[in-house]
Structure formats: structure tokens, C-alpha cells
Amino acid sequence: MLKNYLKVAFRNLWKKKGFSFINITGLSIGMASAVLILLWIYSEISFDQFHEKSERIYQMYNRSVFDGKLWCWGTTPKPMGAALRKDYPQVENAARVTQGTFLTSVGEKHLNSSGYLTDPDFLKIFSFPLLKGDAARALGKAGSIVITEKLAQKLFGEADAFGKVIRIDSIAQFTVTGIMKDLPANTRFDFEFLLPWSYMKTIGWDDNYWGNNSVQTYVLLKPGVTEAMANNRFRNITKSHSDTKDIEVFVHPITKWRLYSKFENGQIVGGRIGVVRLFGIIAGFILLIACINFMNLSTARSEKRAKEVGIRKVVGAQKGLLVSQFLGESILISLLAGMVAMIIVQLSLSGFNELTDKHLSIPYGSVLFWLASLVFVMLTGIIAGSYPAFYLSAYKPVSVLKGTFKAAHALVTPRKILVVMQFTFAIGLIICTIIVNQQIRYAQARETGYKKDNLVYTFIQGDVEKHYTAISNELLNSGAVTSITKTSAPITQKWSDSWGYSWKGKDPNAKLDFCIYNVDGNFAKTTGLRILRGRDIDVKTYPTDSNAMLLNEAAVKIMGFKDPIGQTVTNGDDGKWHVVGVIPDFILSSPYEPVSPMIVQGPKAWFNVIHLRLNSARATSDNLAKTEAIFKKYNPDYPPAFKFVDDEYGHKFAEEKRIGTLSGLFAGLTIVISCLGLFALATYMAENRIKEIGVRKVLGASVSSITTLLSTDFLKLVCISFVVAVPLAWWGMHTWLQSYTYRVPISIWVFAVTGVISVFIAVATISYQAIKAAIANPVKSLRTE
Amino acid sequence: MINITNLQKFYRTEEVETIALNNLSFGIKEGEFVAIMGPSGCGKSTLLNILGLLDDPDDGSYLFNGIEVAKFNERKRSDLRKHNIGFVFQSFNLIDELTVFENVELPLIYTKVGAAERKRRVEEVLDKMQIMHRRNHFPQQLSGGQQQRVAVARAVVNNPKLILADEPTGNLDSSNGNDVMQLLTDLNEQGTTIIMVTHSEHDARYTHRIIRMLDGQAVTENILV
Ligand SMILES: Nc1ncnc2c1ncn2[C@@H]1O[C@H](COP(=O)(O)OP(=O)(O)O)[C@@H](O)[C@H]1O
Ligand SMILES: [Mg+2]
């Protein structure tokens, strides 16, 4: 019996090659898209879930009220780690983590590497296995360093790195006490080395101040300690160790780090899980659309198979048998499509990885994967085949064999509903793609406030600070650089904020947060920023300017200054600044958000970065070569590295661009699959109406009137889809845009353009079959009866 | 073998109600060869479909081998049908995707006959119908006469007690038609009951008895033997 079914199934596939091709292509594209997305989702939900003790690992979090709102954040004071370990029996291990980029050298080989400074417990909490060395002791001594395989390879080549010495920033010597297996892709941690916390003291980064929240603290709780118990015990840890009275501490479990990290008013309100769900829905829909094709084509073809069903029933097949026969056929097709899909996935994986910034791969070795694939194929086959199977097997043999059987030409048929569903989804995705791209362009067009071109920056490392004046003079004299400024951070990144500032007339109860940025002078000249009032900081002309300060317009407004120039702003006991100028609200962090109040402190503050304006009259490559040579001369150990501000600024749009590209891709795929289906439906329609067309032509109908007649049925469906899709897409995009303060208004013409595009695509798909049917010789078609 | 009493069948389409069978009663004994004749639209096919358990009557009784089957559900009908009844149609109704052999094999598959036994029986019946040499051909590659012989082969392969033939020669020329009639006669002589709808007085002469119908009723009976 099975053999008989398989035989018929294969012969059907072979005999209707076009139909099979469309079915398998559509289904495999749908399956491949779904598999890619499922791999992506799997990588998201598996983030940091590989740690053996993951059900006991937590990150310490703070919450406090600012501006009347409860905020939560994951950086903590440095002494918290030690306090947890010492005074709280619930804690098994605790480790602080802070990131650092240092020059790592072996012999004459120098590399800038980035890694963590952390406590020895780090290796006990997390499952990052050492290939060599003892995890329990590797970070125990001051002069030890743990490096990844990759860094070992970079520094030592093929030689064994274990026990060898690495110099950090040319001075400090560390012995390699552990070589770590390279980090998996699905972890939040990203480091090439681990240094013991004691090095923080050496370089002066450590402090014991409970008011400075600047490092992450991770804890491993003892077995049996619940999240609620921990929260209860840890709540007042900061309060009890300092005079801070308004910061409460809680724990955030590792299972929620990746997907549930967005807090609003102290509650988790989601995070990446939103994107994961959205992708899941999209995957489901694309697959469903591919299944719908299958259903539509199968039922459209059913008129041809009705005879087979009738005969099988006459000779004794029961309904259940027929249902399983047709289900089996669709599972077979689904299996074939699954194999094609696998090839598509393998071929497109690298492109998809690039698009999503991931390292996904097909886990060929995993039994679970093959099992899941099998279930996936069966499920797809059953979903795709169920409707046709019941539809076909419900035929009454009498009517079929007598020839009185006629396909339903009702106003609303399941087939029509399915086509409408497909096109609703396709049209919706087109609208979303257009609006996402509009939003990106809208934000890109926003005035940044400074000139991004020909502006580069580099980090202050090694001897640069010592030779700053000489470097600066030589750069200006070389003609490659027209202006230089030292700053606390790259002009595209917000590194620091603080609520510790006071001024005359400040409400003593208000806790107002400012973005902090430092410059040593020539800020406006170098960056191209305008000075709105007063002047730039200039310590050469005005010696008191080492305590000078600039404010942006938002800061002036929130501080309530009528005449800001000359005002004094203090920060604790030691910082006393006077305002010399006002700058516009330039974009430091997000191009989608309003600029927050900013304080720009003068030369007395701290610096990490040098910004250079290259001479626009000369070739950039020349400028860069000269600049690099000068840095190399004064700071020979460090490979010079300059970043272009316009590139860095461009990265701010990466996430949105990714969403835009993905939704464009999915829209394209949906359209391809839907049009394949529409094309096939048009083919069957033309076949089924061949006699009607012949009669009409004999009676004098023109080709164009018949083409129109055949096309309008389908166009009507596309129009209905459009009407359904517009409000759905509008609502979705409206919701998405709410997360951006600077957002593009949704304009009517987006919908108009989409409408025209979809009708055009539909007409292009249908017209070939419609015209072909219309120009056929009627004598031929009538003779077929 | 067959006893119908006051059989009724209506077709309702929109506002028109057609009475296809109107209080029809007759009996057919085992081993009989009966022709049903009458003008087009008088209800012959409807009757045959009901007798063949493809359709159910709206009213009346249908005793098949003494069992009341008029109110059988589809499952029971299907069970009874596949073991007892074979069909031959005017338009052959072979499955285009299956070969001659596979078409004939089909009823045996549905009655769960083993593969070796199936092969033996299909070959035997194909031999008898003299189309063995065409066993691997598809229906479209055969002439009408050959297709009808395949259809007859398929109808008898299960050794049914009853064969229902709806204008089996209607699409055939007279020589092919005579061949098919000879086949049916042979089958009848081996004990199979046959009920055949036909328009041809010539074909009717092969049978034992003719039931003439008009407007859903049996009007006369001619006993030929
Ligand atoms: N499916 C149907 N729907 C409506 N009327 C039908 C149907 N089948 C048959 N009829 C009507 O029932 C009557 C008997 O039909 P049928 O049994 O096919 O006649 P015959 O085979 O004798 O030509 C005819 O009037 C026909 O129009
Ligand atoms: Mg008839």
C-alpha cells in the first residue's frame, strides 16, 4: 500500500514538473528562512546558558530615583565584591570585572589587546575552561595572567605560551598561568586576557569609594539560596557601607542577562526578547506562506485529481486512507523541500551571519538538531498537506465520476483567504521596510552639531601623554593636522555622567544628571562646533582657564542660568569651575534621542583621547601617514591606531540598518514565494477556464478583454490584502517608532507607493498566463472536449 | 441477492426538485444478468450508484444478500462494496498515473491482499482479458477497447459477486463492444451476477432480463431466457 502511494506521489511530482518545482522551491525557501531565523533565535536564547552553575549566577544591580523615575543599572562600587564575599554567607563566590585595553608585548612583538581585570573567583563562577593551568589558582598571584588561545597564538605563534612572560604597557611583567579555550560566540563576555585585580592598584584605577559605580560585580550564590532571598539580604549593602541613602541593590539572574535586560521603573519590561519574538513570528509567517502555496496549488489541482480520488473510493478506499495518502504525499514534498532548504541554508549562512553580526552554524553533529529537523519537516508537511488532504478526500465519488463535479466558484473560498493572507504579509513587510529605511535616513540627516569629515581620534597610550606638547607642535608644523584637542572620550561616545554638581540657585533636593566631557582647549576649532556665547577654553591666553567649563544649551536651560558666562559650578569639595562659553546641543550618544545636558570641563580634568582635524587641503592618506610617523617617533612601542569620526558615527545606525536590511530581505522572500504561488494559481485558472475562453473568443471577445477578465479576480484579492495590511503595518511601525524620540512621521505616500508596487508585481505575475490563455486558438481549446 | 422496495431518490438544485427514482421496486437473483434500459435522464445511473453503494437512497429499502443497507454509513458501505461489488463505467475511469497492472491491482491493495498473491491474481485476470502484454503501459497509451478491458479486469480481480456496468460499450465501436459483452457473458456464466445499463438493444440481447425504466419507475420487464 505504501509502495503504491509512493509510486503515485513520485509520478505526480514528475508528471507535473512545473507544479512540483514551484511547490518545492517555495516550500524550501520558506523552510530555509525559517531555519536561519530559528538558528538565530537559538543562539540568542542560548546566550551564556552554557555555564555549569548558571542557575546560581547573578549580576549585582543598583536602583535609585532620578528625576522622579526609578532607574536600574548594572555597574557597582568596587568594594562591593569584597564585602559580599566577606559578610554574606549566601555568597559562594564573587568577582568584579572591568575592561581594559593595554599594550601586550612579547620580545619585539607589540599588540593592543583588550581584556578584563578581575578577581580569581571569575574562573570559579563561569565555565571558561583552561586548556593549560589550574583554574582555582591561575589568577591568585599578582604577577599572573590568563590568556585565550587566540592571543597566545598572536603573541607566541606556535610556541607554548604557558609559563612565559608578557609585558603589559611595556613595564609590568606577567607570567602566563593559564591558557583558555577561545570564548564561544554566545557569551556576553569578550576578552583576550584576564589580569588579577591587584593590577588595578598598580595603575591607579582602584578605589574604595562606595559612590563610584564603575565595575560589574558577579556572584555565585550557595545552592538553595533563591533570588528573592538574595534580594532581601543584599538590598541595603550600599546603604550600610556608606552614607548613600537612596541606592538599593538587587540581583539579576544570568538567565535574563541577554533577553530581559530592559528595566522601567524598577521592573523588567523585556529587552532583546522583543526582537526574538518578532523574529519568531516572522519565521512562522514565512513558513506559513510557503505552506499556503502548497495548499492552494494542491487544491487548485484537485480538480485534476478528483477522478483519482473517485476511483480509489469506488474500488474501496476509505476516507482515512485517502487522507493519509495525501498527507504522505505532502510530507514527501516537505522532505524534498527540507533537503533543498538545507543546501540553501548552508550556502546563505555566511551572508546571513554578516547581516546579523553572528557566528551561526548548522550543528550537523547534534542529534537534537536532526530530531528537530525531522519534526520540523513532518510538521510542515502536515500543515501544508492537511487542508488539501481533507478537501480532496471529501469528494463524493458519484459526482466526480459522473462529471457533475465542479470546483466551487464561491465569493469567499479558503483558497482566496489564503492568497489574501500571503499578500497581506508581503505588503505589510514592504511598508515596514520603507518606513525603517526612512527612519534611518531621517536620523542620519539630523544635524550632529560638529563636522565629522577629516576628524580622527586616537587613544592616549604609553608615552603620548609625556610628549604631548612636542607631538602636538610637530603635528601642526607638519601641515597634516590643522587643530588638536585632548578629550575625555571619543566625540561619538558618552563615557561618563554625574549628578554631583551644584551651582547658585540649584534646588538642593533635585538630583540632576549631567553628561560629562573634558577638553583641554581648541575644542570648537578642532571639531567644527560653534560657540554660541562666550568663548572656547583657552589656557594659553587665559591662565585661569584650567578650571574653565563649557555648557551645552540643555545644561544652561536645566541649570536655569539667565547669563551663564562667569557662573561657578562646583563638584564636591575639590572641583570648582567657571563657565566661559556655551556650545550647541551636539549629538554625543544617540542620534535618536534628545541631547542631554552636558558639562564640558577644562584642562584640570582627566583625558583619554586626542582628536585631530586633518588638513582638508591635502590627501587624507598623506595626512595619516605623517601623523602616524610622528606618533611612532614619540611612542615607538604602540602601533598607532586612528579612527575616523564619520565611520564611528555611522556605527550608531548599524542596528537599525540591520533591521531595515532584514525586513527588506524577508519582504523580498515573501514576495517571491507568494508570486510563485500566484503564478501557479493563474496557470491552473487558465487551464480550467480554457473552454470558457474558447467560447468567448468564438463569440467575439478581444484578447485584452479576456486578459482583463482573467486578471481581475486576482487583482481584487491583492487589493483586499492591501486594505488589510495598511492598518496592521501602520500600527506596527507606529509602535516601533515610539522607542525613538526623533522619529520620522509616517506619511501617506508610503502606503500609496506600496499599493502601486504590489499591484504592479501581481499584474506582472498573472499577465503571462492570462495573455497566453487569451491568445490561444479557440478551435484547439474547444476540441479538447 | 438484491431486493429493493419503494426506492426513492430526489435531487434538489436551487428551486428545482428532480425525482430521479420514484417508488422503484424489483429483485435480482444470484447469477442473473440483467439489462436496465430507458431514455436518458430516467434514473438508470442513479439506480446503479445506489445499488453499488456509492450513493444512498432518500427512502425505501435495499436488501443486499438479506441485509438492509439503505441506511449504512460510508464506512460500512465501503467495506461491503470493496469485497462484493465491481464497477465498469462508460468512460473507463482508470487512474492515469498508474500502469495497467497497478490499476488492476488497486482493489486488491484496498482489501489487503498480500503482494505475491496480488501479482498472481492480477496476472491471471490480465491474461484472461488478453492484455497481459500491455501490463506496463499507462491508460493513455491504450485504445478504448483495451482500456475497457482493463476496467473489466479491475472490476473482476477481487472476484466480486456483483458487477455493475454503466453503459460499458457506450464509448466503443461495435467490434470492441462485442468483445466486452462476451467478457461479461463469460463472467456471468462463471456465476457472477451482472447488472448493466445500456442503450443498445443489441447488447441487451446478451442478458437474461431487461428492466425498462421511465421517469424513475420500472415500466416493463422482458424475460429473455
Ligand atoms: N447530481 C445531480 N444533481 C441534480 N440532478 C441530478 C444529479 N444526478 C442526476 N440528476 C438528475 O436525475 C435524473 C436521473 O439522472 P441519471 O440517473 O443520471 O439518468 P440516466 O443515467 O438514466 O441518464 C436526471 O433528471 C438528472 O438530471
Ligand atoms: Mg447515465
Side-chain angles (χ1 to χ4, degrees):
Chain A
M1 178 107 55
L2 190 68
K3 221 176 99 201
N4 183 274
Y5 286 162
L6 276 178
K7 228 164 8 197
V8 176
F10 269 114
R11 284 192 198 138
N12 264 320
L13 280 179
W14 185 246
K15 219 176 125 194
K16 290 279 162 189
K17 286 184 213 67
F19 166 84
S20 310
F21 174 79
I22 286 179
N23 242 342
I24 293 176
T25 311
L27 209 51
S28 56
I29 293 177
M31 285 170 112
S33 319
V35 167
L36 282 175
I37 297 175
L38 287 177
L39 284 175
W40 182 90
I41 291 179
Y42 180 73
S43 113
E44 284 293 320
I45 59 176
S46 68
F47 238 73
D48 274 316
Q49 302 305 303
F50 57 87
H51 301 288
E52 278 149 32
K53 303 166 187 164
S54 61
E55 74 281 9
R56 292 192 283 137
I57 301 173
Y58 297 85
Q59 181 182 359
M60 304 304 297
Y61 257 70
N62 290 313
R63 62 170 166 250
S64 184
V65 176
F66 293 91
D67 260 350
K69 257 176 130 179
L70 189 57
W71 292 91
C72 299
W73 69 99
T75 49
T76 51
K78 298 187 187 85
M80 186 187 282
L84 282 166
R85 218 175 301 134
K86 196 159 103 308
D87 302 333
Y88 293 83
Q90 295 82 359
V91 174
E92 189 168 307
N93 293 116
R96 296 163 290 178
V97 170
T98 193
Q99 196 264 340
T101 300
F102 303 111
L103 186 75
T104 46
S105 316
V106 170
E108 282 313 298
K109 196 175 264 172
H110 305 288
L111 287 176
N112 265 318
S113 313
S114 102
Y116 293 160
L117 297 117
T118 186
D119 295 305
D121 279 1
F122 184 84
L123 290 172
K124 294 181 195 152
I125 300 174
F126 300 107
S127 304
F128 293 120
L130 297 188
L131 298 170
K132 262 190 175 168
D134 173 10
R137 291 182 304 151
L139 288 172
K141 285 215 205 78
S144 50
I145 185 171
V146 171
I147 59 176
T148 60
E149 253 182 303
K150 219 182 270 161
L151 184 61
Q153 160 80 27
K154 278 201 265 183
L155 286 173
F156 296 95
E158 293 311 312
D160 185 7
F162 194 73
K164 300 258 171 61
V165 170
I166 295 175
R167 274 170 295 136
I168 297 287
D169 280 346
S170 303
I171 319 156
Q173 309 239 345
F174 288 87
T175 309
V176 178
T177 52
I179 298 175
M180 183 181 284
K181 203 169 154 232
D182 284 328
L183 304 184
N186 55 346
T187 174
R188 65 150 52 175
F189 298 105
D190 181 17
F191 57 88
E192 295 176 285
F193 60 79
L194 298 174
L195 281 172
W197 193 261
S198 54
Y199 191 56
M200 292 282 286
K201 295 196 178 68
T202 316
I203 54 178
W205 285 10
D206 200 14
D207 63 64
N208 228 0
Y209 176 45
W210 280 84
N212 179 8
N213 293 296
S214 57
V215 299
Q216 281 97 44
T217 305
Y218 298 104
V219 292
L220 177 69
L221 298 180
K222 291 227 174 91
V225 181
T226 63
E227 186 180 341
M229 284 156 78
N231 282 335
N232 226 350
R233 288 291 293 125
F234 301 157
R235 179 171 300 134
N236 295 322
I237 181 166
T238 298
K239 287 186 196 169
S240 62
H241 284 85
S242 65
D243 48 10
T244 314
K245 287 294 159 252
D246 51 2
I247 290 186
E248 288 191 342
V249 173
F250 66 99
V251 294
H252 190 223
I254 194 169
T255 45
K256 293 189 175 163
W257 287 355
R258 177 71 177 177
L259 300 179
Y260 301 88
S261 58
K262 198 172 161 206
F263 291 85
E264 232 162 61
N265 269 320
Q267 299 298 318
I268 292 179
V269 292
R272 264 187 101 75
I273 188 69
V275 185
V276 170
R277 286 204 189 108
L278 186 71
F279 270 44
I281 292 171
I282 289 179
F285 263 107
I286 292 190
L287 191 62
L288 187 66
I289 279 177
C291 289
I292 286 176
N293 259 1
F294 184 94
M295 297 181 196
N296 267 344
L297 298 189
S298 306
T299 52
R301 227 165 66 85
S302 62
E303 279 120 74
K304 299 244 177 293
R305 290 198 75 172
K307 190 177 144 199
E308 178 191 339
V309 175
I311 296 168
R312 282 185 187 274
K313 281 197 165 179
V314 167
V315 299
Q318 267 152 17
K319 192 172 164 177
L321 269 178
L322 288 171
V323 168
S324 51
Q325 177 192 345
F326 289 119
L327 273 185
E329 270 181 39
S330 68
I331 290 173
L332 179 78
I333 289 181
S334 164
L335 199 67
L336 291 176
M339 292 181 209
V340 178
M342 198 72 119
I343 297 169
I344 298 178
V345 169
Q346 185 59 58
L347 292 179
S348 58
L349 201 56
S350 68
F352 187 72
N353 274 336
E354 203 165 301
L355 206 63
T356 53
D357 197 20
K358 284 260 183 197
H359 302 277
L360 308 176
S361 59
I362 303 179
Y364 288 113
S366 152
V367 178
L368 191 75
F369 168 75
W370 290 109
L371 223 62
S373 305
L374 193 70
V375 171
F376 181 71
V377 163
M378 298 286 289
L379 216 64
T380 307
I382 288 171
I383 293 173
S386 55
Y387 173 62
F390 287 103
Y391 180 86
L392 280 172
S393 53
Y395 283 154
K396 278 223 155 59
V398 178
S399 59
V400 171
L401 297 180
K402 249 164 76 172
T404 52
F405 170 80
K406 270 272 166 304
H409 285 297
L411 193 62
V412 181
T413 62
R415 200 181 306 164
K416 286 178 183 167
I417 294 174
L418 293 177
V419 170
V420 168
M421 269 175 72
Q422 282 186 317
F423 274 85
T424 301
F425 192 61
I427 292 169
L429 276 178
I430 298 177
I431 295 175
C432 294
T433 308
I434 296 178
I435 293 179
V436 168
N437 282 303
Q438 278 187 329
Q439 166 69 2
I440 295 170
R441 237 169 290 134
Y442 181 77
Q444 276 173 333
R446 188 176 162 198
E447 195 64 55
T448 32
Y450 59 90
K451 297 200 181 74
K452 296 188 285 284
D453 59 318
N454 275 309
L455 187 60
V456 299
Y457 69 85
T458 183
F459 292 101
I460 300 174
Q461 279 188 305
D463 293 336
V464 169
E465 184 65 64
K466 201 161 72 190
H467 301 300
Y468 180 63
T469 321
I471 293 174
S472 159
N473 285 335
E474 208 162 311
L475 282 172
L476 292 171
N477 289 335
S478 74
V481 169
T482 55
S483 178
I484 305 176
T485 183
K486 258 199 302 190
T487 62
S488 54
I491 196 162
T492 52
Q493 293 171 27
K494 174 181 168 180
W495 276 17
S496 175
D497 64 315
S498 169
W499 63 86
Y501 289 84
S502 317
W503 57 93
K504 213 167 86 193
K506 185 193 178 193
D507 170 6
N509 296 320
K511 204 165 159 188
L512 295 173
D513 195 47
F514 292 90
C515 174
I516 305 299
Y517 200 75
N518 306 328
V519 302
D520 73 333
N522 282 324
F523 185 43
K525 189 178 174 202
T526 310
T527 59
L529 209 62
R530 279 176 311 133
I531 299 286
L532 298 175
R533 296 164 83 169
R535 56 177 174 78
D536 200 353
I537 294 168
D538 181 0
V539 81
K540 267 193 202 126
T541 321
Y542 310 92
T544 57
D545 265 12
S546 63
N547 281 326
M549 172 181 265
L550 304 173
L551 299 176
N552 74 354
E553 289 173 282
V556 171
K557 199 167 153 221
I558 202 167
M559 288 170 150
F561 290 143
K562 286 244 159 47
D563 182 15
I565 309 299
Q567 298 279 359
T568 303
V569 176
T570 57
N571 177 22
D573 300 330
D574 43 338
K576 195 162 187 226
W577 308 87
H578 61 279
V579 179
V580 297
V582 176
I583 52 171
D585 292 340
F586 74 92
I587 300 173
L588 185 67
S589 52
S590 169
Y592 303 105
E593 296 306 313
V595 175
S596 44
M598 180 194 274
I599 282 173
V600 180
Q601 304 176 135
K604 221 189 82 183
W606 34 274
F607 299 98
N608 300 301
V609 177
I610 296 174
H611 280 88
L612 309 168
R613 175 151 300 277
L614 301 180
N615 187 347
S616 57
R618 301 191 184 189
T620 310
S621 54
D622 278 0
N623 287 338
L624 217 52
K626 273 193 185 137
T627 309
E628 282 179 2
I630 293 167
F631 271 87
K632 192 87 192 152
K633 179 172 149 196
Y634 287 98
N635 191 27
D637 283 353
Y638 289 76
F642 294 93
K643 293 207 159 123
F644 283 85
V645 168
D646 44 9
D647 289 347
E648 296 298 306
Y649 191 80
H651 292 333
K652 294 182 188 298
F653 303 95
E655 188 66 27
E656 281 71 21
K657 278 191 174 155
R658 198 167 292 148
I659 296 177
T661 318
L662 281 175
S663 88
L665 179 74
F666 294 145
L669 285 175
T670 314
I671 291 167
V672 168
I673 299 174
S674 308
C675 285
L676 275 177
L678 196 60
F679 181 81
L681 278 184
T683 313
Y684 282 111
M685 167 217 52
E687 267 180 32
N688 286 337
R689 293 174 77 169
I690 195 158
K691 195 175 162 198
E692 174 198 342
I693 295 165
V695 173
R696 281 178 192 272
K697 280 189 85 174
V698 168
L699 297 179
S702 68
V703 169
S704 69
S705 78
I706 288 176
T707 310
T708 315
L709 175 82
L710 295 178
S711 304
T712 34
D713 273 359
F714 288 111
L715 281 183
K716 260 187 232 153
L717 298 182
V718 172
C719 290
I720 294 172
S721 312
F722 179 73
V723 171
V724 178
V726 162
L728 288 176
W730 180 87
W731 175 79
M733 281 292 100
H734 179 76
T735 313
W736 179 71
L737 285 172
Q738 292 311 302
S739 58
Y740 301 98
T741 311
Y742 276 80
R743 53 179 180 255
V744 71
I746 300 179
S747 66
I748 288 289
W749 74 261
V750 172
F751 301 109
V753 164
T754 312
V756 172
I757 292 176
S758 32
V759 167
F760 177 80
I761 292 176
V763 168
T765 310
I766 306 159
S767 54
Y768 171 75
Q769 288 299 341
I771 292 171
K772 199 174 117 187
I775 58 179
N777 184 347
V779 177
K780 251 188 203 161
S781 57
L782 288 179
R783 221 174 28 210
T784 59
E785 268 304 292
Chain B
M1 176 175 214
I2 287 175
N3 252 304
I4 56 170
T5 347
N6 295 334
L7 218 52
Q8 301 243 39
K9 181 74 184 175
F10 311 103
Y11 290 110
R12 284 169 203 89
T13 43
E14 272 110 57
E15 265 110 59
V16 193
E17 189 183 275
T18 319
I19 305 177
L21 297 179
N22 191 5
N23 276 325
L24 190 63
S25 309
F26 61 76
I28 289 168
K29 285 193 276 302
E30 194 152 348
E32 266 198 293
F33 189 173
V34 178
I36 296 176
M37 300 191 73
S40 189
C42 70
K44 303 180 298 288
S45 299
T46 306
L47 172 65
L48 220 54
N49 289 332
I50 291 175
L51 293 179
L53 299 165
L54 290 172
D55 211 349
D56 48 358
D58 290 318
D59 203 2
S61 141
Y62 174 14
L63 293 180
F64 185 89
N65 277 338
I67 306 162
E68 178 56 71
V69 296
K71 292 281 174 290
F72 266 24
N73 64 18
E74 198 187 321
R75 184 177 193 88
K76 279 182 166 167
R77 288 213 304 260
S78 163
D79 256 346
L80 194 62
R81 183 169 69 230
K82 68 184 172 194
H83 288 110
N84 295 295
I85 304 172
F87 288 87
V88 180
F89 300 95
Q90 176 180 357
S91 51
F92 323 136
N93 279 331
L94 300 172
I95 295 183
D96 296 334
E97 283 76 23
L98 296 179
T99 62
V100 165
F101 183 93
E102 288 156 1
N103 263 294
V104 176
E105 186 188 23
L106 213 51
L108 298 176
I109 290 175
Y110 288 121
T111 45
K112 302 205 165 61
V113 175
E117 172 72 3
R118 283 208 303 269
K119 187 167 181 312
R120 195 187 62 72
R121 275 163 68 176
V122 172
E123 280 175 356
E124 185 189 304
V125 69
L126 286 178
D127 230 15
K128 210 155 84 185
M129 303 293 153
Q130 293 165 15
I131 35 173
M132 193 56 187
H133 58 296
R134 297 292 196 142
R135 51 177 296 174
N136 290 323
H137 287 70
F138 287 93
Q140 301 96 311
Q141 300 166 319
L142 303 181
S143 72
Q146 287 169 324
Q147 288 192 43
Q148 195 61 300
R149 264 186 283 163
V150 176
V152 174
R154 186 181 62 189
V156 302
V157 70
N158 239 349
N159 294 323
K161 295 187 187 70
L162 174 65
I163 286 182
L164 301 172
D166 195 347
E167 300 183 36
T169 59
N171 280 3
L172 301 177
D173 59 40
S174 61
S175 127
N176 273 319
N178 284 340
D179 283 356
V180 168
M181 285 318 297
Q182 197 51 56
L183 274 176
L184 292 177
T185 310
D186 292 350
L187 284 169
N188 176 247
E189 275 162 10
Q190 286 152 31
T192 314
T193 314
I194 298 178
I195 304 173
M196 174 181 77
V197 167
T198 183
H199 284 296
S200 146
E201 294 289 347
H202 170 265
D203 288 355
R205 258 177 252 138
Y206 285 87
T207 67
H208 305 158
R209 179 155 69 111
I210 303 173
I211 299 174
R212 293 190 193 271
M213 286 178 65
L214 193 63
D215 292 340
Q217 284 171 308
V219 282
T220 52
E221 285 195 27
N222 308 32
I223 316 262
L224 302 174
V225 186

